[in-house]
Amino acid sequence: MVALKHDGNARAGDTVDSVGESTLSVGSSVKIHGLQSQRGKSFNGKSGTITTELDGETGRHSVRLKGGRVLAVKPANLTLTAAQPAADVKIHCGACERALPTDSYSREQGRLRQSMRRCKDCVASGNQLVLMMKGRARSEEDECPICNLPLPMDENELSLKVCCMKRVCNGCILAARKRGMRDCPFCRTAVPDEASKALAMVQKRVDAGDPVAIYALGDACHWGVHGVARNVTRAVELYERAAELGFKRAHYSLGCLYEEGIDVQKDTVKAIRHFEAAAMCGHVSARFNLGCGERNAKNLSAALQHWIIAAKLGDQHSLSEVKEMFKYGLATKGDYAESLCGYRSAIEEMSSPDRDEANALGHEAIREM
Ligand SMILES: [Zn+2]
Ligand SMILES: [Zn+2]
Ligand SMILES: [Zn+2]
């Protein structure tokens, strides 16, 4: 889990002949120029439309290129190509998902990115953002396929079986071991005794297009484990393939990579987009990170909404944040009570006598049984 930070620093070479900021606004047609970074250079000369007002934090506008790609660009790197905002420009509302003319939004809403933006109708009717409506429950892929309980949040309390690509909770693994079963408790395949055999099993499923396997191989490349050489470029490719297949953990990993900016070029806009995709599928840590991002951008009400959702899915970090906000009068007693109550029942749902026993023994001890 990472806490989001916003990068508001100017980069060397970013400043070229500046146009007056006041001439650039939502709907303006612009051309990009003067970007210096390796990645940025490929966008010089491209045309697009401004979709958000200047972000006070990052000093950038969002620009949608022809073809749909969205970039965050400083005014200094934009040239106005049409004197007036084109009248037919439409931007999407994050609640009703309609594409509406820019004057359907208040100035304040027009500044926000699509997922957080609501049209005047939606503000008036209290229509909630899709981002806050989706992903309020964990999905079936987050259940142990044997006991059917939601999987523990801690990766050390479960195992990924390379034979069937199922994640099985330690409680069920312990129960199987006690009955003398050493093969996969789900599909009964013998557990591979060498890393190379396990890798071959994963590769076979990658070739068949299984997103879980594609993600698992990406993860092995990312960290250089399970007999795979560390190769972040390949990891990103594999994560992207899995993400395109709608695999939420791949979106989350991509979000972390772009947010940290250590192994790939830092890209906060991309990171948020991936965290949003994951959170809308019920990814708990992605939801927590979105809360941190909104807190850092001083959107406390949005931060609180994200954290309440995550706390109710069983995320302890989010519960602590809600508690903290309540302490400082930024959340109501009702917000905190709702979060605490939801958190407790999520934890309750994830518990079983087998799991308690497995936790007391520990991951390593069960493996060696
Ligand atoms: Zn709307
Ligand atoms: Zn289980
Ligand atoms: Zn299996």
Side-chain angles (χ1 to χ4, degrees), residues 80-216:
L80 213 54
T81 54
Q84 292 299 319
D88 60 345
V89 168
K90 290 181 176 177
I91 55 176
H92 279 86
C93 168
C96 62
E97 296 188 294
R98 289 179 299 172
L100 299 166
T102 52
D103 62 4
S104 311
Y105 301 86
S106 68
R107 197 173 164 76
E108 189 192 32
Q109 290 288 330
R111 286 172 193 276
L112 303 173
R113 62 179 188 279
Q114 183 193 310
S115 55
M116 298 301 289
R117 179 199 295 148
R118 286 189 300 166
C119 67
K120 287 174 185 167
D121 290 349
C122 286
V123 170
S125 65
N127 193 6
Q128 280 199 67
L129 296 166
V130 172
L131 178 60
M132 301 298 181
M133 297 295 287
K134 287 188 179 166
R136 288 173 163 267
R138 292 176 76 197
S139 51
E140 205 176 304
E141 61 171 270
D142 288 332
E143 283 174 8
C144 169
I146 298 171
C147 61
N148 293 115
L149 297 176
L151 283 166
M153 298 277 172
D154 186 342
E155 295 280 322
N156 285 318
E157 295 176 18
L158 53 89
S159 288
L160 174 71
K161 295 289 157 197
V162 289
C163 36
C164 48
M165 283 293 149
K166 296 286 183 200
R167 289 182 298 162
V168 178
C169 78
N170 282 357
C172 289
I173 291 177
L174 176 63
R177 291 282 156 93
K178 281 198 203 158
R179 291 197 304 270
M181 266 173 66
R182 294 201 55 84
D183 48 10
C184 168
F186 181 71
C187 72
R188 301 290 173 92
T189 302
V191 174
D193 51 4
E194 287 168 32
S196 62
K197 286 183 193 163
L199 191 60
M201 283 171 141
V202 175
Q203 188 63 55
K204 203 173 142 193
R205 294 189 70 104
V206 169
D207 297 340
D210 177 353
V212 191
I214 296 168
Y215 170 78

Side-chain angles (χ1 to χ4, degrees), residues 134-135 139-142 167 209-215 237-254 273-283 286:
K134 287 188 179 166
S139 51
E140 205 176 304
E141 61 171 270
D142 288 332
R167 289 182 298 162
D210 177 353
V212 191
I214 296 168
Y215 170 78
E237 280 168 20
L238 289 161
Y239 284 156
E240 274 172 357
R241 249 173 84 192
E244 272 165 28
L245 294 166
F247 194 67
K248 63 172 180 273
R249 279 181 282 149
H251 277 296
Y252 176 69
S253 296
L254 286 166
R273 232 175 41 218
H274 283 297
F275 285 144
E276 285 179 347
M280 284 195 281
C281 296
H283 195 289

Side-chain angles (χ1 to χ4, degrees), residues 23-131:
T23 57
L24 297 170
S25 59
V26 171
S28 297
S29 298
V30 289
K31 196 170 238 178
I32 296 173
H33 63 84
L35 293 177
Q36 299 291 319
S37 69
Q38 202 58 31
R39 185 176 158 273
K41 276 179 186 167
S42 62
F43 296 110
N44 289 332
K46 295 253 159 75
S47 302
T49 308
I50 293 184
T51 57
T52 62
E53 296 292 345
L54 196 67
D55 182 326
E57 192 96 6
T58 63
R60 288 171 162 86
H61 287 286
S62 288
V63 177
R64 191 170 61 231
L65 302 182
K66 285 169 185 155
R69 201 168 175 149
V70 179
L71 297 178
V73 189
K74 292 189 174 179
N77 298 102
L78 295 171
T79 308
L80 213 54
T81 54
Q84 292 299 319
D88 60 345
V89 168
K90 290 181 176 177
I91 55 176
H92 279 86
C93 168
C96 62
E97 296 188 294
R98 289 179 299 172
L100 299 166
T102 52
D103 62 4
S104 311
Y105 301 86
S106 68
R107 197 173 164 76
E108 189 192 32
Q109 290 288 330
R111 286 172 193 276
L112 303 173
R113 62 179 188 279
Q114 183 193 310
S115 55
M116 298 301 289
R117 179 199 295 148
R118 286 189 300 166
C119 67
K120 287 174 185 167
D121 290 349
C122 286
V123 170
S125 65
N127 193 6
Q128 280 199 67
L129 296 166
V130 172
L131 178 60

